[in-house]
Amino acid sequence: MIANMHLVVIGLNHKTAPVEVREKCAVSDGNLPKALATLNACHCVVECCILSTCNRTEIYAVTNTREDEDALVQFMSDYHEVERASFEDKLYRHHGHKAVEHLFRVAAGIDSMMVGENQIVNQIKNAFCVAGESDVTKALMNHLFQQALYVGKRARTETDISRGAFSVGYAAVELARSIFGELEGRSILILGAGKMSELTAKHMQSSGATSIAVSNRTFSRAEELACKLGGRAVEFDRFPEEMLHSDIVITSTGAPDAIVTRGMMKKITRERRRRPIFMIDIAVPRDIDPSAGELDGVFLYDIDDLDTLVQQSISGRKKEIERVRAIVAEEVQKFNVRLRTLEAVPLIKQIRDKYDHLRDAEWARTSSKLSHLSETDQEAIKVMMQSLINKISHDSLLKIKEYASNGDGLGKLEVAREIFGINDEPEVKK
């Protein structure tokens, strides 16, 4: 039962691991159901959810004991086919209320590289929806993620944390300006038709960039995004040719390996006669071979290169961050009370089931003696019996809920189990 379960989050993010480590542990949207099924198959995992973005990969799980969390680390190693030694020292681990606090901070936008960014709420919602569709969440995880989404909403409606929020798109514009000056008349090539690419391109457009080409493995998606941006779609196998004429390249494809190699860029820069090309790789795993940035005329940035601009953004938002932290602390406290109340639910159900069994047994024993009564009268007796049970159990069940809501109430719940003769065994996956 919940009282015997252990809530944990294990993960790595932009604060603890560089992009070359994060990309090894990333889970694409398309692979998320398979990863969840594999994780849930672990004997010790009762519930789970995986949140994987360009800046973090986190496993949220309910396990039988705290010792079981080592299996989560092993899952990361086995599933991604990487040695534990290559990432284990970059992991953070939070348990119980600290795990709750961590997710709430993430949802509120104060644990993001881009403080206050809105995209993380949609990413959490998507991760939770996929986990629900994969049937790997139950009561605790459902409550946790629903509350996290509420916290994210509170943070953005009650504070200015997201007003003028720093974003990848804003950072890309600032970096591009450092190379080209103003962006009027500059041409853009987008590789990958995802939301991050769209938002970044829109920032470029608002800063003066005009010509936009979109290339994606699924051509219809390239056409769809190109239509939104007033640009044109390019067949994916023709994007190297398009790069010959582009000033700015934005990549975010979700490909497992680099799609832009050093050899490809060497040929392109030679044909461009070393005319500068600005490239921002916001994909994890990265789309562009990092060594391509060593070539003359290539100005390559990845998601981790935004750190300086991020720190400048954070320094100007300290007041709002403190307000959000207060909301998080309040909601963590509320959640913990609710969680403790949930611990009483299985016991209350067992008590009610026991009373129902006694009622049914008594009726079976005495109903034959009441055969002379009409069906209406017999039904009235049944209703009276149920009403009597409800009245007898009402105060005791309320008191059990009260015990559960108090931090020191677990011992009293054990006494209640003894009084009502309830045997409670932890839920262990077979």
Side-chain angles (χ1 to χ4, degrees), residues 31-199:
N31 288 330
L32 192 53
K34 178 183 176 182
L36 286 167
T38 304
L39 175 59
N40 191 58
C42 296
H43 74 282
C44 62
V45 175
V46 179
E47 306 181 53
C48 61
C49 188
I50 298 175
L51 175 62
S52 186
T53 73
C54 60
N55 286 323
R56 68 182 68 246
T57 295
E58 297 177 339
I59 295 174
Y60 293 83
V62 177
T63 63
N64 295 312
T65 69
R66 183 162 179 163
E67 289 70 28
D68 291 327
E69 70 185 45
D70 185 69
L72 306 181
V73 182
Q74 191 59 46
F75 158 79
M76 293 181 71
S77 175
D78 294 342
Y79 182 81
H80 297 289
E81 298 181 350
V82 294
E83 294 292 332
R84 287 179 59 152
S86 67
F87 68 88
E88 190 166 9
D89 63 338
K90 307 294 192 302
L91 292 175
Y92 44 82
R93 308 185 187 199
H94 302 298
H95 314 92
H97 75 278
K98 286 295 183 181
V100 175
E101 181 182 29
H102 177 78
L103 179 58
F104 287 4
R105 285 172 57 88
V106 173
I110 57 174
D111 195 64
S112 299
M113 176 181 283
M114 313 303 171
V115 174
E117 54 98 1
N118 290 309
Q119 188 66 18
I120 187 63
V121 176
N122 291 329
Q123 291 166 331
I124 291 173
K125 185 176 182 179
N126 179 69
F128 176 46
C129 287
V130 175
E133 291 168 357
S134 301
D135 197 28
V136 296
T137 64
K138 298 180 183 177
L140 196 158
M141 202 67 71
N142 290 338
H143 279 79
L144 174 63
F145 274 81
Q146 288 166 359
Q147 193 69 13
L149 293 172
Y150 174 71
V151 172
K153 182 178 180 180
R154 274 198 67 187
R156 287 162 179 80
T157 56
E158 297 179 24
T159 77
D160 290 332
I161 193 68
S162 291
R163 181 172 295 176
F166 192 81
S167 66
V168 170
Y170 173 82
V173 168
E174 293 302 301
L175 290 171
R177 280 176 173 161
S178 70
I179 296 167
F180 297 117
E182 294 307 314
L183 302 185
E184 283 81 359
R186 296 294 177 181
S187 59
I188 303 173
L189 170 63
I190 300 173
L191 299 181
K195 194 65 177 178
M196 293 290 282
S197 299
E198 178 183 345
L199 294 174

Side-chain angles (χ1 to χ4, degrees), residues 125-415:
K125 185 176 182 179
N126 179 69
F128 176 46
C129 287
V130 175
E133 291 168 357
S134 301
D135 197 28
V136 296
T137 64
K138 298 180 183 177
L140 196 158
M141 202 67 71
N142 290 338
H143 279 79
L144 174 63
F145 274 81
Q146 288 166 359
Q147 193 69 13
L149 293 172
Y150 174 71
V151 172
K153 182 178 180 180
R154 274 198 67 187
R156 287 162 179 80
T157 56
E158 297 179 24
T159 77
D160 290 332
I161 193 68
S162 291
R163 181 172 295 176
F166 192 81
S167 66
V168 170
Y170 173 82
V173 168
E174 293 302 301
L175 290 171
R177 280 176 173 161
S178 70
I179 296 167
F180 297 117
E182 294 307 314
L183 302 185
E184 283 81 359
R186 296 294 177 181
S187 59
I188 303 173
L189 170 63
I190 300 173
L191 299 181
K195 194 65 177 178
M196 293 290 282
S197 299
E198 178 183 345
L199 294 174
T200 304
K202 285 182 176 178
H203 274 277
M204 294 283 183
Q205 279 185 313
S206 65
S207 299
T210 52
S211 174
I212 295 183
V214 182
S215 187
N216 192 71
R217 290 188 188 278
T218 304
F219 188 67
S220 60
R221 292 195 62 195
E223 289 182 310
E224 181 181 347
L225 180 54
C227 183
K228 284 184 181 180
L229 299 173
R232 56 191 173 83
V234 176
E235 296 286 354
F236 197 70
D237 59 1
R238 289 187 53 241
F239 82 76
E241 178 184 336
E242 192 67 30
M243 290 173 69
L244 294 173
H245 315 291
S246 303
D247 298 306
I248 299 167
V249 178
I250 303 166
T251 71
S252 182
T253 69
D257 301 301
I259 61 171
V260 179
T261 64
R262 179 187 175 94
M264 180 190 300
M265 284 309 303
K266 190 173 183 179
K267 180 180 178 182
I268 289 172
T269 55
R270 185 165 55 246
E271 294 189 39
R272 288 171 61 94
R273 299 182 183 278
R274 292 182 172 79
R275 181 165 54 88
I277 182 170
F278 170 74
M279 310 180 77
I280 182 159
D281 185 353
I282 54 179
V284 178
R286 287 171 292 182
D287 284 329
I288 305 173
D289 183 343
S291 66
E294 300 168 1
L295 300 172
D296 290 343
V298 177
F299 296 86
L300 173 61
Y301 297 87
D302 61 33
I303 200 75
D304 283 358
D305 292 322
L306 305 176
D307 189 58
T308 300
L309 291 174
V310 170
Q311 295 308 316
Q312 292 173 357
S313 169
I314 291 175
S315 64
R317 306 175 70 80
K318 287 184 178 178
K319 182 178 179 181
E320 297 308 311
I321 292 173
E322 289 305 315
R323 293 178 64 192
V324 172
R325 283 174 177 163
I327 290 174
V328 169
E330 177 187 340
E331 292 297 334
V332 168
Q333 183 178 15
K334 288 181 181 178
F335 182 82
N336 286 338
V337 171
R338 186 176 295 109
L339 181 61
R340 287 195 294 267
T341 303
L342 278 176
E343 292 171 347
V345 171
L347 174 58
I348 290 172
K349 183 180 183 302
Q350 288 171 310
I351 292 172
R352 284 175 172 163
D353 288 346
K354 185 169 186 176
Y355 280 151
D356 288 345
H357 176 73
L358 291 173
R359 178 203 62 207
D360 293 343
E362 276 304 301
W363 180 253
R365 188 175 65 85
T366 61
S367 60
S368 61
K369 300 177 182 179
L370 303 175
S371 59
H372 62 285
L373 298 178
S374 67
E375 287 187 11
T376 301
D377 289 339
Q378 291 188 40
E379 192 61 34
I381 293 174
K382 288 182 180 181
V383 171
M384 180 195 68
M385 292 174 68
Q386 184 61 54
S387 177
L388 185 60
I389 288 174
N390 291 343
K391 289 178 179 178
I392 291 174
S393 63
H394 178 73
D395 289 343
S396 58
L397 296 184
L398 279 182
K399 186 61 68 173
I400 287 173
K401 289 181 180 179
E402 179 185 325
Y403 290 158
S405 66
N406 296 325
D408 60 350
L410 292 181
K412 293 179 180 179
L413 290 183
E414 291 302 321
V415 172

